[in-house]
């Protein structure tokens, strides 16, 4: 299929800046990159095209701000995060619109819930200041030995575009609560929402504590990951770039948190061939985010006895999903982020259509005419009778393309579920809870949900195993593990007392 999509330019193009050292600024070169609306293919904004020089300025500002910030009492840092949470709450509607426009994610089902969660994330971490506790080690009466939780220093964070504001908040809030300062690079496709969050943070913070840059991965993300003063790298995005980040970290022995891709299994038992499970599965596959989610349950393992009926019902429900303008309250599902991803998703669909033994249950290639052809709109698609070895069943598609695989034997279902280099999320559907728990324990994934397909909630220790990543964020434990280091202090109390004068 020829997909020649030329973006056009909106009547007015908003010019945005980035946050360095408390100021909204242009890039050092003055160059910009354009931001396109996925639902119209219109260029509607520009952001600075940051490079190594901008990274240097931002890291210098964060280093300068670090000593004072790290010495603010943790609960007082938390109080600032709570004020930011209040300000973000007042901004939910505006943020939701920005997110919908720049990501193409539908406002009612995705963008507004994301904006709401962002305020919640700041509120959650704002309450955790006094949990940055250490331990005392019982070495005997003559020794005082204790650990302190200290910040790591300047954190370098890089975020993607699929839930950009939530994923950005998830790095800013715990990093700051723990006393770090931060330089974050926004995704080039969706920088505007997180930049608005940064601006709001700045209203309550001294300069330099939060810096958010815009620019490309190679020109801005690369120098950030290699900067010698960065003491921690936290990355969310593709496994391929995650590997580059880890290599850059290895050169300087810098700790990393990586939240990477997934190809998450969803196992349906015969007793779950019911509406609640089908609705849950639609959520788990994140169809209303065009399945652009690392936790999408994109491999559907259906028991042989319910294979056809489950799919028939699922296809009927998917048919009712309203696709279109992300800013309309009527719409359930918006557009794919950009031409590159859209073309990639279409390539997988074509591959599926060209397989003789594979059955298309619903969907297919996107319409080439009509209102949906104006943007990067893909349609919910299911391929059945696929083998677990096939490209569509192994690679992260990051689009609304679900593969359905048959199973008869439970051990075989678990084996196939685990036969993936990814291990982020998983879903199990059964009324037999013992069975569900057993499956949950046997699946190699960082997060298994039984009988629901919901999103992350602050408090989960969220993250993956295998090539889905390293480290956990989103929780108290995640903050302690990912954004602090322990220092031990040991004092000998047996030294002879000095005479009192
Ligand atoms: P990406 O991994 O290239 O982009 C994520 C972030 O990394 C962006 O901010 C980007 O500018 C930055 N980046 C890219 N190259 C870099 C480099 N050399 N050094 C430092 N930073 C760099 O992801 P992309 O290209 O947008 O999407 C490709 C695929 O990645 C998707 O199809 C999907 O499979 C996966 N992905 C997974 C995500 C997740 O949530 N785990 C999010 C986004 C994409
Ligand atoms: Mg875009």
């Amino acid at each position: 299929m020829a997909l020649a999509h030329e973006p056009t330019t909106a009547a007015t193009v908003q010019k945005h800046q980035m946050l360095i050292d408390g100021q909204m600024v242009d890039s050092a070169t003055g160059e910009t990159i354009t931001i396109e609306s996925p639902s119209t293919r219109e260029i509607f904004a520009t952001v600075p095209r940051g490079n190594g020089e901008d990274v240097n300025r931002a890291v210098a500002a964060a280093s300068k701000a670090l000593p004072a910030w790290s010495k603010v009492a943790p609960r007082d840092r938390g109080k600032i995060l709570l004020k930011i949470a209040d300000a973000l709450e007042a901004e939910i509607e505006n943020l939701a619109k920005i997110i919908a426009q720049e990501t193409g994610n539908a406002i009612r089902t995705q963008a507004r819930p994301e904006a709401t969660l962002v305020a919640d994330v700041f509120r959650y971490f704002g309450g955790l200041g006094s949990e940055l506790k250490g331990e005392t080690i019982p070495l005997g009466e003559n020794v005082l030995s204790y650990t302190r939780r200290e910040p790591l220093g300047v954190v370098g964070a890089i975020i993607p575009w699929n839930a950009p504001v939530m994923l950005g908040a998830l790095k800013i809030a715990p990093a700051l609560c723990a006393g770090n300062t931060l330089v974050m690079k926004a995704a080039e496709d969706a920088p505007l929402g997180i930049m608005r969050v940064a601006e709001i943070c700045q209203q309550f913070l001294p300069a330099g504590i939060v810096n958010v840059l815009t620019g490309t991965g190679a020109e801005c993300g690369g120098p950030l990951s290699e900067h010698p003063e960065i003491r921690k790298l936290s990355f969310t995005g593709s496994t391929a770039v995650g590997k580059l980040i880890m290599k850059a970290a290895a050169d300087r022995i810098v700790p990393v948190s990586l939240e990477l891709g997934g190809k998450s299994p969803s196992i349906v038992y015969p007793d779950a061939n019911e509406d609640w499970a089908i609705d849950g599965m639609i959520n788990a596959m994140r169809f209303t985010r065009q399945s652009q989610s690392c936790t999408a349950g994109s491999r559907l393992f259906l028991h042989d006895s319910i294979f056809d009926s489950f799919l028939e019902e699922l296809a009927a429900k998917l048919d009712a999903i309203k696709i279109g303008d992300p800013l309309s309250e009527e719409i359930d599902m918006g557009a794919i982020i950009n031409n590159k991803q859209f073309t990639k998703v279409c390539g997988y669909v074509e591959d599926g259509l060209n397989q003789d033994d594979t059955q298309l249950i619903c969907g297919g290639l996107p319409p080439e005419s009509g209102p949906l052809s104006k943007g990067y709109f893909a349609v919910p698609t299911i391929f059945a009778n696929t083998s677990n070895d096939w490209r569509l069943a192994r690679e992260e598609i990051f689009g609304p393309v679900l593969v359905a695989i048959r199973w008869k034997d439970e051990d075989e279902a678990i084996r196939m579920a685990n036969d993936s280099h990814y291990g982020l999320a998983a879903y199990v559907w059964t009324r037999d809870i013992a069975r569900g728990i057993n499956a949950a324990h046997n699946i190699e994934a960082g997060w298994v949900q039984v009988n629901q397909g919901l999103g992350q909630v602050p408090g989960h220790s969220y993250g993956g195993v295998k090539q889905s990543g390293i480290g956990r964020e989103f929780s108290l434990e995640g903050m302690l593990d990912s954004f602090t280091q322990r220092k031990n202090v040991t004092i000998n109390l047996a030294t002879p007392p000095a005479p009192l004068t």
Side-chain angles (χ1 to χ4, degrees):
M1 184 167 86
L3 291 164
H5 293 307
E6 285 302 319
T8 54
T9 302
T12 51
V13 176
Q14 316 155 15
K15 180 176 180 290
H16 290 262
Q17 293 179 301
M18 57 188 181
L19 178 64
I20 300 181
D21 201 9
Q23 304 294 320
M24 296 305 291
V25 297
D26 295 331
S27 63
T29 62
E31 284 179 40
T32 57
I33 50 182
T34 56
I35 309 299
E36 180 192 1
S37 163
S39 59
T40 59
R41 296 194 188 117
E42 242 181 6
I43 290 166
F44 70 97
T46 66
V47 293
R49 182 169 178 159
N51 67 15
E53 204 181 326
D54 301 296
V55 169
N56 289 344
R57 272 199 297 153
V59 175
S63 297
K64 198 169 122 226
L66 181 69
W69 180 245
S70 63
K71 288 186 172 55
V72 173
R75 279 172 64 102
D76 292 336
R77 292 196 297 256
K79 279 183 196 152
I80 297 181
L81 295 181
L82 293 174
K83 283 187 195 156
I84 295 172
D86 288 341
L88 286 168
E89 212 142 66
E91 186 84 10
I92 287 174
E93 223 26 60
N94 180 38
L95 266 180
K97 284 185 185 136
I98 298 173
I99 297 170
Q101 189 175 20
E102 69 176 343
T103 63
N105 292 343
I107 192 157
R108 191 190 82 251
T109 62
Q110 297 300 320
R112 191 176 294 118
E114 181 180 349
T116 307
L117 182 55
V118 165
D120 204 20
V121 164
F122 274 86
R123 199 173 302 292
Y124 171 80
F125 285 105
L128 294 184
S130 44
E131 293 303 321
L132 292 153
K133 295 169 186 163
E135 303 101 23
T136 52
I137 297 101
L139 297 183
E141 288 307 302
N142 290 326
V143 184
L144 170 61
S145 184
Y146 63 95
T147 57
R148 276 158 62 84
R149 288 272 182 188
E150 296 188 348
L152 291 158
V154 180
V155 173
I158 298 176
I159 54 170
W161 42 263
N162 56 329
V165 180
M166 190 267 280
L167 295 170
L170 261 189
K171 303 206 190 289
I172 298 173
L176 264 55
C177 179
N180 304 278
T181 58
L182 174 113
V183 179
M184 184 156 78
K185 192 198 84 67
E188 47 272 61
D189 289 293
L192 304 180
I194 193 64
M195 203 55 77
R196 182 69 197 126
V197 170
E199 255 180 318
I200 291 169
C201 290
Q202 191 51 57
Q203 293 168 11
F204 301 92
L205 287 167
I209 291 170
V210 171
N211 305 270
V212 182
L213 306 176
T214 52
T216 68
E219 291 169 2
C220 191
L224 179 59
S225 66
E226 289 162 9
H227 198 289
E229 280 171 56
I230 294 288
R231 295 292 167 79
K232 156 84 192 189
L233 285 165
S234 174
F235 172 79
T236 305
S238 63
T239 297
V241 175
K243 289 178 185 177
L244 297 178
I245 302 294
M246 201 162 173
K247 283 176 189 151
D251 276 344
R252 307 191 314 282
I253 319 289
V254 166
V256 289
S257 305
L258 303 173
E259 202 270 273
L260 309 175
K263 190 74 183 176
S264 299
S266 190
I267 303 180
V268 187
Y269 285 75
D271 62 357
N273 188 24
E274 294 175 5
D275 266 352
W276 59 271
I278 296 165
D279 291 335
M281 183 53 213
I282 291 172
N283 271 334
M285 180 53 184
R286 318 287 189 233
F287 274 114
T288 58
R289 212 197 304 156
Q290 303 76 262
S291 305
Q292 297 174 123
S293 165
C294 39
T295 52
S298 52
R299 287 184 297 148
L300 177 59
F301 294 101
L302 288 172
H303 188 266
D304 184 54
S305 64
I306 58 165
F307 192 85
D308 296 319
S309 56
F310 191 97
L311 284 182
E312 194 180 314
E313 209 32 52
L314 177 58
K317 284 180 187 273
L318 290 179
D319 194 46
I321 287 182
K322 289 201 196 89
I323 308 172
D325 179 6
L327 284 157
S328 158
E329 297 290 336
E330 310 286 299
I331 290 300
D332 302 309
M333 173 173 169
I336 298 275
I337 187 75
N338 59 27
N339 196 28
K340 183 185 120 198
Q341 290 297 115
F342 179 70
T343 308
K344 183 177 150 191
V345 171
C346 293
Y348 281 106
V349 174
E350 277 192 334
D351 195 5
L353 294 172
N354 290 335
Q355 299 281 324
D356 292 338
D357 49 355
T358 301
Q359 189 192 352
L360 178 72
I361 301 291
C362 64
L365 285 167
E368 284 185 70
S369 59
L372 292 189
S373 67
K374 292 192 169 58
Y376 303 121
F377 290 101
V379 292
T381 297
I382 305 175
F383 288 110
N385 294 326
T386 51
S387 139
N388 195 42
D389 305 330
W390 182 36
R391 187 169 90 96
L392 265 72
R394 303 203 71 80
E395 296 173 14
E396 182 176 49
I397 298 176
F398 234 58
V401 183
L402 178 68
V403 295
I405 298 163
R406 223 177 258 277
W407 63 274
K408 284 184 183 154
D409 172 67
E410 196 173 3
D411 291 341
E412 175 65 359
I414 303 278
R415 192 198 62 74
M416 287 193 288
N418 288 339
D419 181 16
S420 167
H421 60 283
Y422 289 119
L424 190 55
Y427 307 86
V428 179
W429 310 90
T430 176
R431 288 181 175 278
D432 181 339
I433 291 305
R435 224 179 196 137
I437 293 173
N438 258 315
H441 291 184
N442 286 320
I443 292 172
E444 296 168 353
W447 180 27
V448 185
Q449 295 186 68
V450 179
N451 295 340
Q452 62 167 32
L454 303 181
Q456 301 89 322
V457 178
H460 285 163
S461 273
Y462 169 68
V465 302
K466 299 197 273 188
Q467 289 191 32
S468 288
I470 283 184
R472 299 288 179 267
E473 292 177 351
F474 231 125
S475 61
L476 167 62
E477 297 74 24
M479 172 179 79
L480 297 177
D481 292 349
S482 296
F483 294 104
T484 72
Q485 55 196 342
R486 280 191 171 92
K487 176 189 277 176
N488 177 265
V489 181
T490 303
I491 304 135
N492 174 10
L493 300 177
T495 44
L500 292 172
T501 52

